[in-house]
Structure formats: C-alpha cells, structure tokens
C-alpha cells in the first residue's frame, strides 16, 4: 500500500467523523438531517485543520450488532459519505461497526471512497457483542467481485476485545497481512481513547515488514511524537473533540494543534509533508 499515492503524504493523519445514532440504532433520534449537518461540519473542521483523510464511522450506534448492520444504516452512511465528498477533497474511508466489512466495502465501492477499517479481519475475538470471527475470505472475495480497489486497514488485537487463547502480537500482525491480505494494520490501546504501548508498535512495525502500521486510538499532541517513532500513520478522534470529550463535536482549534504537533515531529525526521486542501461547496 502506497501511503503517498493515497494520502499525498507518507505519514498520514486520519481524523474520524463519529456519526450520531443512525436509523434503527437504539438511540436513533429521528432526524437524518441532523446527522448529515453535524457530519458535514466535522468533516470541514478536520479537512481545514490539515487532516489527510477521514473515516466515517457509526460510533454512536452502540450497542452494536457484531456483524451485518441494518440496510437503513448502510443507506444513511452512503448518503453521509456523498455529502462529505461534496465538501472536502481528502480521501474518505468507512468503518461500519462492529464488524460489517462487506457493507463498508459496498459503500466505499459505490461512492468511490478509498479505504475501510475492519475491526476483526482474521482470528476470533471475545467482545461485548459476543465472539467475532474474522471473515477475510469473504471480504476479499467480495472486493474482487465488485471490481474494487478499496484499501483495507485492519485492526490487530482490536480495542474493547480479547483474543481467544494466548496473545502473540507478531503472529497476529503477520497473519493479518499474509493470510488476511490487509493493506495496512492498526494497533490500539485497550479502549477508545487509550494509546497503544510504544514497544508494541515497534514490535508490530517489525512484523509488518513494510506494510503500513497505524496508531488506532489514544493519540494526542502530548504523545504523538513518541507513538510515531514506530508507526507510519495515525487515526485520531477523541483528542480532536471539544474538551477532549468523545461525545462532543470536532474542535477546529484542537485539530490544528494536533496537526502542528504531528507535522513538527514528522519534519524533524526529514519527512516531506503536504497539507491536504479543503474544497468548500459553492
């Protein structure tokens, strides 16, 4: 996976748009317009602050189904992605929680989004939704059937979960890449807002052998320099919210602060970076 080709930078910073509860989810509020309006505002805030990519995620649909989501959720996320694409030029990705990679591939393929995040691509994880089994064979075959080139970023030992059996991070990374055919891997802490262990990032980077490794949670302007010593990119959300509260909206000032901290770290290593542009809808 060529990060520069996709994100126009070799060290991408990917922000997340957490969608308000979607139709059929337990806390659905009845207004798709409210969901779209907030998503558009957050996407613009992320892009104008220098983020290199955006993941659209049904974060507030909890409690999640462990696999296939309702068709209404797929429809709503498709609309949101299209609306965001009218406003920003950065690459868009999908994460359909908890683990509906087929729907994410379908939405991305139909909207020409560039990538998806999959929580469990290989192996078996014990989660609050029950046991989730990776279905890499179905996901990769479905991508081929659609004639799609959507990139797959896959979590390794995903947050809010525990693997069945003993934990071997090196083997998990190797299996995700070599047997699951992931285009990139993601390493997170135990829960939302918790960073991964820097030593684990180094181990994962060695095991990945050139496949991009992303920090998947817990990044802030205080720890980004440490975390990016071994990682190739970062996915960030909670730190960019007002007061650092994941339930709040994206704060443009915090986005700029995070991007500045990350870029200064990248540039100190001699990396050539480009700030992604914003295209306002006329």
């Amino acid at each position: 996976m060529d990060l520069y080709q996709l994100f126009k930078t070799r060290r991408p910073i990917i922000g997340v748009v957490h969608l308000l509860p979607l139709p059929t989810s337990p806390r659905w509020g009845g207004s798709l317009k409210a969901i779209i309006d907030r998503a558009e505002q957050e996407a613009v805030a992320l892009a104008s602050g220098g983020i290199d990519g955006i993941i659209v995620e049904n974060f507030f649909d909890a409690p999640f189904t462990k696999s296939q989501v309702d068709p209404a959720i797929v429809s709503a996320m498709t609309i949101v992605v299209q609306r965001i694409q009218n406003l920003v030029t950065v690459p868009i990705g999908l994460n359909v929680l908890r683990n509906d990679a087929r729907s994410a591939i379908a939405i991305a393929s139909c909207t020409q989004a560039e990538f998806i995040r999959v929580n469990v691509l290989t192996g078996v994880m014990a989660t609050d939704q029950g046991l989730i089994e990776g279905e890499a064979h179905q996901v990769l075959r479905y991508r081929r059937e659609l004639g799609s080139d959507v990139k797959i970023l896959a979590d390794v030992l995903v947050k809010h979960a525990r693997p069945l059996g003993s934990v071997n991070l090196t083997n998990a990374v190797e299996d995700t890449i070599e047997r699951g055919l992931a285009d990139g891997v993601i390493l997170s802490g135990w829960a939302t807002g918790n960073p991964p262990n820097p030593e684990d990032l180094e181990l994962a980077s060695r095991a990945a052998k050139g496949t991009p490794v992303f920090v998947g949670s817990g990044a802030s302007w205080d720890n980004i320099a440490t975390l990016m010593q071994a990682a190739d990119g970062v996915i960030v959300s909670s730190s960019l919210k007002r007061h650092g509260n994941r339930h709040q909206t994206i704060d443009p000032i915090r986005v700029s602060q995070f991007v500045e901290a990350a870029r200064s770290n990248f540039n100190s290593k001699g990396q050539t970076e480009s700030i992604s542009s914003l295209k306002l809808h006329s």
Side-chain angles (χ1 to χ4, degrees):
M1 178 180 176
D2 188 332
L3 293 179
Y4 190 84
Q5 182 178 15
L6 178 56
F7 296 105
K8 303 301 182 286
T9 174
R10 294 180 176 82
R11 310 274 282 181
I13 305 168
I14 303 174
V16 184
V17 171
H18 287 159
L19 299 180
L20 292 173
L22 298 174
T24 72
S25 69
R27 292 176 290 183
W28 157 240
S31 173
L32 186 57
K33 182 180 184 302
I35 294 169
I36 294 171
D37 288 348
R38 172 160 161 162
E40 288 179 334
Q41 292 168 4
E42 294 202 338
V44 169
L46 289 169
S48 61
I51 290 292
D52 302 302
I54 294 172
I55 294 178
V56 178
E57 181 178 277
N58 57 326
F59 180 81
F60 290 113
D61 279 355
F64 306 109
T65 177
K66 67 179 181 179
S67 53
Q68 186 173 3
V69 300
D70 189 270
I73 292 177
V74 176
S75 299
M77 293 186 74
T78 302
I79 293 171
V80 170
V81 169
Q82 290 178 317
R83 294 290 292 266
I84 289 175
Q85 288 173 323
N86 288 332
L87 295 174
V88 304
T89 59
V90 297
I92 305 296
L94 277 299
N95 187 15
V96 183
L97 299 169
R98 173 70 157 148
N99 204 55
D100 194 350
R102 282 174 58 89
S103 289
I105 285 279
I107 297 169
S109 298
C110 290
T111 62
Q112 296 186 320
E114 287 87 346
F115 64 101
I116 68 170
R117 179 177 184 173
V118 183
N119 285 183
V120 184
L121 184 65
T122 61
V124 183
M125 300 293 287
T127 75
D128 53 309
Q129 293 82 33
L131 294 180
I132 297 181
E133 299 182 32
E135 297 181 340
H137 61 296
Q138 293 185 11
V139 175
L140 272 295
R141 282 166 175 76
Y142 190 49
R143 183 174 69 172
R144 185 185 63 187
E145 289 173 7
L146 291 174
S148 173
D149 191 34
V150 172
K151 303 304 180 186
I152 298 173
L153 307 183
D155 283 271
V156 175
L157 305 177
V158 68
K159 58 190 174 184
H160 298 288
R162 285 286 185 261
L164 297 187
S166 59
V167 179
N168 186 312
L169 181 58
T170 296
N171 289 346
V173 171
E174 291 174 345
D175 282 351
T176 302
I177 295 169
E178 297 173 10
R179 298 169 68 86
L181 302 185
D183 298 296
V185 296
I186 302 168
L187 206 65
S188 301
W190 155 243
T192 301
N194 296 150
N197 187 300
E199 288 75 20
D200 287 343
L201 279 171
E202 292 179 5
L203 188 64
S205 182
R206 289 196 297 270
K209 299 174 183 176
T211 296
V213 175
F214 288 82
V215 174
S217 67
S220 70
W221 48 81
D222 293 324
N223 64 16
I224 187 64
T226 300
L227 292 175
M228 292 305 294
Q229 291 297 315
D232 301 290
V234 58
I235 300 170
V236 59
S237 180
S238 298
S239 295
L240 309 183
K241 300 292 188 77
R242 298 186 185 281
H243 311 296
N245 184 335
R246 73 194 65 160
H247 296 285
Q248 297 295 317
T249 57
I250 295 292
D251 183 341
I253 295 176
R254 294 175 74 94
V255 176
S256 298
Q257 289 175 335
F258 183 89
V259 170
E260 182 179 358
R263 297 285 182 228
S264 63
N265 174 59
F266 299 162
N267 292 336
S268 69
K269 296 179 180 180
Q271 299 289 341
T272 301
E273 297 299 325
S274 63
I275 301 298
S276 302
S277 61
L278 169 72
K279 179 180 69 177
L280 293 178
H281 181 59
S282 59

